[in-house]
Amino acid sequence: MITEIVTMKTIEDISREEFLAIVDGLEKNFHSKQDGFVDTELLEDKKNGQWLMIQHWDSAEQLKSASQRMFLDENAASFIQALDRTTVKMQILPQIKIWG
């Protein structure tokens, strides 16, 4: 299992409600259709005006493949356009253990 952690801010013109709708569309129409996709969690840091997206993938190869396709897929375009790209930071880490 691979975990991807992305922190980001949106451009100023995007409201919270608009961004939630954009991410909902991204998850339903893009991520959920990718091989190896497990799930996505979206968190909001209101104090810093930042969003945190946590995704799980079966493998690093599947994550990399989906990430490359994301920039070419029309179902991801509104998400990419909503981001302040200078704020996007990504970490990709292997899952070591999980407790429930």
Side-chain angles (χ1 to χ4, degrees):
M1 179 83 62
I2 296 296
T3 300
E4 177 184 30
I5 303 169
V6 182
T7 58
M8 65 202 122
K9 291 183 178 182
T10 60
I11 58 174
E12 290 187 27
D13 296 356
I14 303 291
S15 71
R16 180 181 190 273
E17 293 74 23
E18 287 172 310
F19 189 62
L20 290 173
I22 288 168
V23 173
D24 188 58
L26 176 72
E27 296 311 305
K28 289 178 180 173
N29 301 314
F30 180 75
H31 282 132
S32 65
K33 297 179 181 197
Q34 303 305 305
D35 290 337
F37 173 77
V38 177
D39 61 19
T40 297
E41 182 177 355
L42 182 66
L43 305 143
E44 182 181 18
D45 178 355
K46 287 184 180 181
K47 182 179 177 183
N48 295 311
Q50 199 169 46
W51 294 93
L52 180 74
M53 183 178 277
I54 301 170
Q55 291 189 326
H56 295 106
W57 296 83
D58 288 335
S59 73
E61 294 77 23
Q62 290 167 319
L63 164 60
K64 183 178 178 181
S65 178
S67 293
Q68 290 171 343
R69 280 195 298 277
M70 186 174 174
F71 291 94
L72 305 172
D73 193 294
E74 65 183 32
N75 292 309
S78 61
F79 175 75
I80 292 167
Q81 293 166 358
L83 299 180
D84 174 349
R85 291 189 188 197
T86 65
T87 67
V88 177
K89 293 182 178 55
M90 186 182 317
Q91 290 183 305
I92 299 171
L93 306 161
Q95 188 180 80
I96 304 303
K97 187 166 175 70
I98 189 168
W99 290 262

